[in-house]
Structures are given as structure tokens and as C-alpha cells.
Amino acid sequence: MMGQTEEEPDRSRDAIPNEIVLTDILVRLPTKDVVRLSCVSKQWHRIIGDPSFRKLHGADHVATPSESEALLVTENREPGRREEASVFNLSSGKAMCHVFIPTGYSLTNVCNGFLCFALNHGQAPAVVCNPVTGETLELPKAPPISGEDRASLNHLFALGFSPTTREYKMFRLSFPSSCRRHDHQVHIAVHTLGDGTGAWRQYSYASRFCPVFTSPPVHIDGKLYVVTTDYQKRERTAQMLVLDVAAEARRTCRLPYYYDDYHWNWSEMMASGFDLNGEMCLAVHVFGRGTRRTLQFWVMKPPGELQDEDDHEQLCWDLRYSFDLDESYYFDRPKGGWFEHAQMLCYRHGDTLYKHSTRGYSASTSPNVGLSFDQKLELPRAPSLSPNVSEDWSPLIRLQARRWNIHGGYRPSLLSPLIFAAPPPQDEKGEETRQFEHALLSAIRQT
């Protein structure tokens, strides 16, 4: 009809959801999807970048952890340049971040979506990094150990998370650099990230077992697992130290072998621990007298299967996999184990990457039946730092200047380490001035 316009349709039902609904949707998605969706629009980028959203998403992420991933971390120490760590995701093959690290620092462990960098000597503070965002946080400096020669102590830092309290805590284990006494003191200092005080709690205990640096601490479900060893006893025994993050309590359990079980001439363990999709796993290079060379993967039993958790001599491990080693396999410990596509077990051995298919393995499969590797990949070696370096020395210099490793058990998160930054200390004089001004204003208003 002339002069009349057709009524505009109600498009409210087709409108883009408001930010509350959108936030509720985004917070339920995996981290990798959220990062990708941050490029959809300015609105989505602003929501995802908001600190409150990242904190909410991070809390939900650790409450329902996803399948773990593996990271390749390289540490470059070239003369005349700042030291730098580069992080790559092995699942996607993409670079995640490049961060500058203090001189001499190295990656000590992985906890959820955070990486912990620290120095194993001195009193230098640890650094926490989120490779998704590239943000880093330097934690408060840990206190010195009273009554000990600081130069004679080694320090092992490890970041842990408590699912019950949802707190992140940094643990520092300090112990003599030469554990040759029958009994020595192991000192533990603990700091809760974001408690607002920057304080550390300390306690000590006597033990003949020292933590080892060759197997990094492993964080799984609110517990930190640290391999310790005793070089004093003839059989050269070893134990697993288990730290409860929430209670800050410790217990120990024996490992499934003795040194002499695999090689009688080596003073170090040919073993390494790692997170195997949420299970504590120990990979052991076995090479004893009259036996074939094998690589054994032992998985710690669930607590419900242990008859007495206080019995340190009880075997807490099940032999899950056993693989035969090829003739070119040299003496070294396996490193950086992880699962690829849920069935391919991968690990690094020196500059070689081995892959074993676990297809067909079941609870009834005999782990003593050794299988051969399915793939063997030679990894590239770091180039020499200078053309003037002697060929005889270049491998050693490469090892010192460019270190790299593969770390499993990583679960990406948007949580920013900066939310744990302690507030700056208040100026006492300024606080006194504010109290005086408040009292003066109150007095004037009363008159």
C-alpha cells in the first residue's frame, strides 16, 4: 500500500550473542581453540585477552586437564648475545615463544601450562613462563640456608600445583653438592605464588639420598616426583621422593631396580622419569651381565593398589613396556618420553629419536617380550659456534652453548603468571601519613 512501509523483521534472534554468553562459550573450549578464535574479531580478541577471562579459563583448564603434549625447548648461549630459550610444540610443529633467560638458567620442570627456569647453584630467583602468551614472572628470591656453606650446596627448583586448593607452589630442594656422608640435611623451601607476601617456608630432614639433575622433577595430579640416589651403599640404591603440593609433605618409595641390575661400571643411573599422559613413568636403560640390552618403561601404581603407602620397600611400579635396543644404541639415559597420537611411544636418546608402536599392548601382554623400534630418526646437531673452533672441541662447546631437550606433560593454558606477582611493598612512612590524614579529616568533620 502506497505511503506505508513493510514492517522490518525482528532480527534480535539472529544477533551475535552478548559478551556474557560468548564468554561462557569460550571458557569451555580447549586452549588451542581459544587462541585461534582470538583472531575472529576485535570483540573476541578483547574478551580472550581480558585478565579475568584468562584466569577463569585457566582455573577451569587445570580442574579438567586435557591430554598432555610435548615441547621442544632449546637454550642458546652464544657469545655476545643474551641467553634465550625457544619453545616449540611438537604436536603442531609450530614455534610458541622466544624468551630471554638469565645467564646460566635452564628449564627445570613443566607444570600444567607453565615452564620453570632456574639456576642450580647460588641463590638466584626462579622464573615462571607461559609459552602461549610469552609472559614471564620472576619469583621472590629464596632465603639462604643458615648454618651451611652456600658454595657447597646444589639447588633443584620445581613448580607444582594443588588441584584441591588451586594453588601453584615453588619448591626449592637444597642439598650438598657431594653427597658422600651417610646422613646429610636436605633443605626444602616452599613459596605459594600470589599469596601477596613473597614469603618462603623452610624445613629440613636428614637423609642419605640426594636429588639428581639427570631426571627432572615431574608434576602429576598435585604431586612432584623427584628421583634421588645414594652413592654410598655398595649396591648404589635409588628412591623416588614424592612431594604433596597441598600438604607440603614428603614420602619416599623404592625404584624397581638397583644400579647393578643394568650395568656394573656406571656410577649414574641410566634412567629418567616423565609424565606419560597423566601417569608417573620411569624409563630405564637395562644392560646387565649376560642380558640383552632393553629399555623398560615402569609406571607407578595408583594409590588404591598399594597395600601400605608407608611401606617404603613395597614395589610401587608395574612394568608396562619393554623394547629391545639395536646394536648402535650407546650408554645413555632416555629423555623426554611422550605419546604421539595416543599409541606411538617416543623418546629421545642422545641425538636420536626412537618411536615404538604400542598397538596391541594390553594388560595381558607380557612386558618381558621385547619389541624393536618402529622408527629411528637422527636429529640435527647444533652447528659450531665459530669456524676457528677445533673439530676436537666443537662437540663440547656445542653442548655447553646450545642445550635442548624434549619435555612431556605440558597442558596449554591461558593463565598469566603475572597474576601471581606480589604487590609492591608499602612505604611505612606513606602509610603513617595516610592514617594521620584520615584521623585529621575525621576530627574536622566531627567539629
Side-chain angles (χ1 to χ4, degrees), residues 68-185:
S68 63
E69 301 177 1
L71 300 179
L72 168 65
V73 181
T74 66
E75 300 162 13
N76 298 312
R77 296 173 172 83
E78 297 185 26
R81 296 184 58 184
R82 292 182 62 184
E83 297 189 7
E84 182 184 53
S86 301
V87 184
F88 304 84
N89 191 309
L90 291 182
S91 300
S92 63
K94 297 181 179 179
M96 297 187 68
C97 72
H98 305 275
V99 295
F100 292 113
I101 55 176
T103 302
Y105 275 49
S106 60
L107 181 61
T108 61
N109 84 310
V110 174
C111 177
N112 291 341
F114 289 136
L115 311 182
C116 174
F117 291 91
L119 197 64
N120 65 3
H121 58 83
Q123 299 293 322
V127 173
V128 175
C129 169
N130 185 334
V132 172
T133 64
E135 297 169 316
T136 61
L137 172 66
E138 182 178 293
L139 299 185
K141 188 177 179 180
I145 308 299
S146 59
E148 291 275 1
D149 181 7
R150 300 182 189 178
S152 67
L153 292 177
N154 281 333
H155 305 284
L156 182 64
F157 286 83
L159 182 65
F161 173 77
S162 168
T164 55
T165 64
R166 298 204 173 187
E167 292 177 319
Y168 283 89
K169 296 182 180 181
M170 182 66 69
F171 288 75
R172 185 194 67 182
L173 280 69
S174 304
F175 48 94
S177 55
S178 57
C179 301
R180 301 300 179 184
R181 294 180 296 175
H182 179 71
D183 255 353
H184 56 263
Q185 292 292 314

Side-chain angles (χ1 to χ4, degrees), residues 21-51:
V21 176
L22 182 58
T23 300
D24 187 61
I25 295 174
L26 292 174
V27 79
R28 302 171 188 269
L29 299 179
T31 303
K32 59 180 66 177
D33 294 334
V34 173
V35 172
R36 187 174 68 252
L37 291 174
S38 65
C39 303
V40 170
S41 67
K42 291 183 178 179
Q43 180 194 27
W44 289 34
H45 181 78
R46 176 171 51 81
I47 293 175
I48 295 171
D50 186 86

Side-chain angles (χ1 to χ4, degrees), residues 20 23 49 60 62 73 82 143 175 181 184 204 221 249 283 287 301 314 319 332 353 363 372 379 385 393:
I20 296 178
T23 300
D60 182 71
V62 298
V73 181
R82 292 182 62 184
F175 48 94
R181 294 180 296 175
H184 56 263
S204 304
D221 195 25
F287 185 53
K301 297 178 182 178
Q314 182 184 187
L319 182 56
D332 198 359
L353 180 64
S372 300
L379 303 175
L385 297 179
W393 289 93

